[in-house]
Amino acid sequence: NAGVMQNPRHLVRRRGQEARLRCSPMKGHSHVYWYRQLPEEGLKFMVYLQKENIIDESGMPKERFSAEFPKEGPSILRIQQVVRGDSAAYFCASSGPARGTQETQYFGPGTRLLVL
Amino acid sequence: AQTVTQSQPEMSVQEAETVTLSCTYDTSESDYYLFWYKQPPSRQMILVIRQEAYKQQNATENRFSVNFQKAAKSFSLKISDSQLGDAAMYFCAYRTHNNNDMRFGAGTRLTVKP
């Protein structure tokens, strides 16, 4: 019973490059959430997606950041033209579709992005 | 605005002893959920325990229990018989039934002394 999977676990990019972070939710889960964690801080919500739909992107920066959750394949968080301030741990979480399973989010191991 | 406050940046406990981590939150909602997550050095976020606000009974998971005081908006975590493997950052989190995101506190770093 695989949990939430994220890859890569570590990603190094130079300023101006693109970063692509992938997340596969737990089996049976159709809701995906992305969070960002800066050093010594709690997690901050970025975006909530269901298959082929962005439901809530109120936590996403207005520029350079985008997310998708296609019908087939993992959810992707994409950061274009990365800057040093993007260096952080990015966590994906998933939850089930129905009340009783939707409230609890299960997290992946995170992707540590380092921008040089 | 819904905020979560953890007033203890760091806590320390002797192995086999009991420790309580504090968490308060601010909300005008009546239907919501509260969580404690553990983040060990591996930085994996692990669900420790959850509480539904409509339930008066405090949640318990083995050595972990909560003291949920809805009127005071307080949600503390008690760890009994502390073990070395309990050393981690602990995050309190809040989510309403209708909101899509969870709000996290800043975390409490727990050290367990042998």
Side-chain angles (χ1 to χ4, degrees):
Chain A
N1 221 4
V4 179
M5 299 176 67
Q6 288 187 250
N7 68 81
R9 295 291 304 274
H10 300 273
L11 183 60
V12 180
R13 286 288 179 264
R14 296 191 180 279
R15 281 179 296 169
Q17 291 183 319
E18 178 180 287
R20 283 190 176 226
L21 288 61
R22 295 175 186 76
C23 169
S24 297
M26 283 179 72
K27 187 176 181 181
H29 285 188
S30 55
H31 297 212
V32 167
Y33 312 79
W34 285 94
Y35 292 82
R36 176 164 63 176
Q37 184 181 31
L38 297 173
E40 304 303 319
E41 293 188 10
L43 279 68
K44 298 288 194 300
F45 169 78
M46 299 180 74
V47 63
Y48 161 48
L49 311 101
Q50 296 178 19
K51 284 285 187 182
E52 299 185 282
N53 283 304
I54 297 174
I55 307 301
D56 180 353
E57 55 182 349
S58 58
M60 285 278 270
K62 299 300 181 193
E63 297 177 348
R64 302 188 298 108
F65 285 72
S66 62
E68 63 177 6
F69 190 15
K71 186 176 181 181
E72 301 292 336
S75 174
I76 306 283
L77 178 67
R78 182 183 177 203
I79 311 172
Q80 294 178 292
Q81 300 174 342
V82 296
V83 300
R84 288 205 174 124
D86 296 332
S87 296
Y90 292 83
F91 287 91
C92 170
S94 72
S95 69
R99 183 174 179 129
T101 66
Q102 190 176 0
E103 293 79 14
T104 301
Q105 297 179 13
Y106 295 90
F107 284 81
T111 294
R112 278 83 184 162
L113 173 65
L114 175 62
V115 180
L116 301 177
Chain B
Q2 298 128 1
T3 59
V4 179
T5 302
Q6 293 179 249
S7 59
Q8 306 154 315
E10 296 183 355
M11 289 286 284
S12 179
V13 63
Q14 204 70 35
E15 194 177 4
E17 298 293 309
T18 295
V19 64
T20 299
L21 308 184
S22 302
C23 173
T24 59
Y25 56 95
D26 182 26
T27 184
S28 57
E29 302 287 336
S30 59
D31 188 9
Y32 54 88
Y33 305 85
L34 296 162
F35 307 85
W36 279 97
Y37 283 89
K38 169 185 177 182
Q39 189 177 45
S42 67
R43 301 200 72 184
Q44 171 85 48
M45 291 289 287
I46 302 166
L47 177 67
V48 175
I49 199 165
R50 69 171 245 172
Q51 175 82 42
E52 292 91 340
Y54 64 85
K55 289 186 177 179
Q56 291 186 336
Q57 186 172 8
N58 289 324
T60 298
E61 288 287 340
N62 301 314
R63 299 183 294 107
F64 299 87
S65 61
V66 299
N67 183 5
F68 174 46
Q69 302 290 327
K70 191 172 184 179
K73 298 178 184 176
S74 170
F75 182 60
S76 61
L77 174 70
K78 185 171 83 170
I79 306 174
S80 304
D81 186 24
S82 298
Q83 301 176 358
L84 295 178
D86 295 334
M89 284 288 287
Y90 285 82
F91 292 97
C92 178
Y94 161 99
R95 179 183 181 178
T96 67
H97 172 60
N98 294 320
N99 280 2
N100 302 311
D101 61 300
M102 283 204 295
R103 303 298 173 100
F104 284 83
T108 296
R109 184 178 303 279
L110 177 66
T111 302
V112 181
K113 298 178 179 178

